[in-house]
Amino acid sequence: MKTLKQRRSDFEVHAILGLFPEDPIDFDDPFFDTFNPRITRVTIEQIEAQLALGTKLNPYTVNDQETISRLVEIGINGLITDFPQRGAR
Amino acid sequence: MATIIAHRGARSLAPENTLVAARKAFAVGADMWETDVAVTADDQLFLMHDDAMMRTTDIAEMFPDRVPAPFSTYTLSEIRSLDAGSWFERDDPFGQIAVGSVSRSELESFHGVKVPTLREAFELTLELDWFVNLELKAQPAPKDSFDVVNPPSSPWQKMWGSGLTIFSSPQLSMTG
């Protein structure tokens, strides 16, 4: 990924956070443009706090309509879902 | 507005990581699709999530003596011989067939769909003037001889020259 970013700085590089249960949820690594945290590992309050700091977030995997609507409401950058039909405008 | 990213395509409505799932995601209004990039034994890039490929293909019937060997032990032509769509109607993984969200004609169109190459995924994304987010699989171990920026026999260069932005979502372990 380092090679890719050096040679193609126009690509966005995202970090997947919480892929494995023991993985830390760390939003601090400046290598990444966007952070994709597992939604079950973060609270809405943590997400709001990161957004307020200017961190770009695309949580995964967000499937229930209520959570999708809530995240959109608080200004989430993006979300990864198995139900894109629920997020469509 | 939030970017709606369809996980492996519209995987509640069509077989994940196939071109029909990507097209479905586009049709229902997703802003982007996410997919998983895997590599074959002969260094070809294709789309697959699970290492053993049994959940989303008929590999257990096609190669009963080899499962659950990981995808990286199969050639592209072997992987292209698989049916990556029929399982969807059998398993209805998100219960969306049961509630009537998938039509009979759509279900019929899923039978026999092939595992896509990364090139096909890029071509479709370009055709739709759309975006894709690539997750790089951690398996197999990084190959010293494999150029991650311009991998062998890949369409990366064409895609990169197109002016589209490709989003890459690496696992942290992938340092290429």
Side-chain angles (χ1 to χ4, degrees), chain A residues 16-26 38 41 60, chain B residues 171-172:
Chain A
I16 298 179
L17 303 179
L19 197 62
F20 299 103
E22 67 276 18
D23 287 354
I25 303 294
D26 175 6
R38 186 187 287 274
R41 296 281 309 278
Y60 73 96
Chain B
Q171 294 178 13
L172 293 169

Side-chain angles (χ1 to χ4, degrees), chain B:
Chain B
M1 281 305 283
T3 301
I4 301 301
I5 307 168
H7 190 216
R8 308 179 205 165
R11 72 189 283 250
S12 58
L13 300 172
E16 67 178 56
N17 284 338
T18 64
L19 299 183
V20 286
R23 284 189 184 280
K24 187 65 185 178
F26 185 80
V28 300
D31 300 300
M32 180 187 300
W33 65 301
E34 183 270 358
T35 189
D36 303 282
V37 181
V39 63
T40 67
D42 47 344
D43 283 351
Q44 301 298 304
L45 297 170
F46 73 106
L47 309 188
M48 184 59 60
H49 182 270
D50 296 4
D51 288 355
M53 305 194 284
M54 292 186 289
R55 180 176 56 87
T56 60
T57 74
D58 61 347
I59 196 163
E61 291 144 58
M62 294 292 286
F63 300 101
D65 301 334
R66 292 168 63 186
V67 290
F71 54 70
S72 53
T73 63
Y74 290 83
T75 64
L76 183 64
S77 72
E78 288 171 336
I79 288 167
R80 295 286 276 183
S81 74
L82 303 174
D83 174 348
S86 294
W87 68 275
F88 186 84
E89 182 170 3
R90 184 191 68 219
D91 293 356
D92 192 10
F94 291 86
Q96 295 302 293
I97 301 173
V99 298
S101 296
V102 189
S103 72
R104 171 49 45 193
S105 65
E106 282 180 302
L107 287 173
E108 281 165 13
S109 75
F110 299 158
H111 291 284
V113 302
K114 301 297 181 196
V115 174
T117 61
L118 181 62
R119 175 183 297 274
E120 289 173 332
F122 281 170
E123 285 171 352
L124 177 66
T125 306
L126 284 166
E127 176 196 321
L128 298 173
D129 193 20
W130 202 24
F131 296 93
V132 64
N133 175 306
L134 305 177
E135 178 177 341
L136 307 181
K137 302 300 294 180
Q139 188 279 337
K143 300 181 180 189
D144 288 341
S145 61
F146 199 88
D147 184 338
V148 294
V149 181
N150 296 298
S153 309
S154 90
W156 289 88
Q157 204 60 47
K158 178 185 170 191
M159 192 71 184
W160 290 8
S162 72
L164 274 187
T165 305
I166 306 295
F167 295 78
S168 179
S169 59
Q171 294 178 13
L172 293 169
S173 58
M174 279 294 293
T175 56

Side-chain angles (χ1 to χ4, degrees), chain A:
Chain A
M1 292 315 306
K2 288 194 178 98
T3 309
L4 191 147
K5 192 166 179 180
Q6 278 163 8
R7 287 166 65 174
R8 293 299 305 220
S9 58
D10 53 326
F11 278 34
E12 269 202 32
V13 180
H14 297 197
I16 298 179
L17 303 179
L19 197 62
F20 299 103
E22 67 276 18
D23 287 354
I25 303 294
D26 175 6
F27 296 103
D28 293 332
D29 189 340
F31 179 78
F32 296 103
D33 303 303
T34 299
F35 294 85
N36 301 350
R38 186 187 287 274
I39 191 68
T40 55
R41 296 281 309 278
V42 287
T43 63
I44 289 285
E45 291 72 25
Q46 282 175 294
I47 291 173
E48 284 181 310
Q50 286 299 322
L51 290 174
L53 293 171
T55 312
K56 289 168 74 178
L57 301 175
N58 291 335
Y60 73 96
T61 305
V62 189
N63 285 346
D64 70 282
Q65 187 69 67
E66 193 184 334
T67 310
I68 291 173
S69 302
R70 180 90 180 100
L71 289 170
V72 170
E73 198 180 286
I74 65 171
I76 201 76
N77 305 93
L79 56 91
I80 298 172
T81 178
D82 297 321
F83 290 81
Q85 63 273 34
R86 292 179 182 166
R89 294 163 302 272

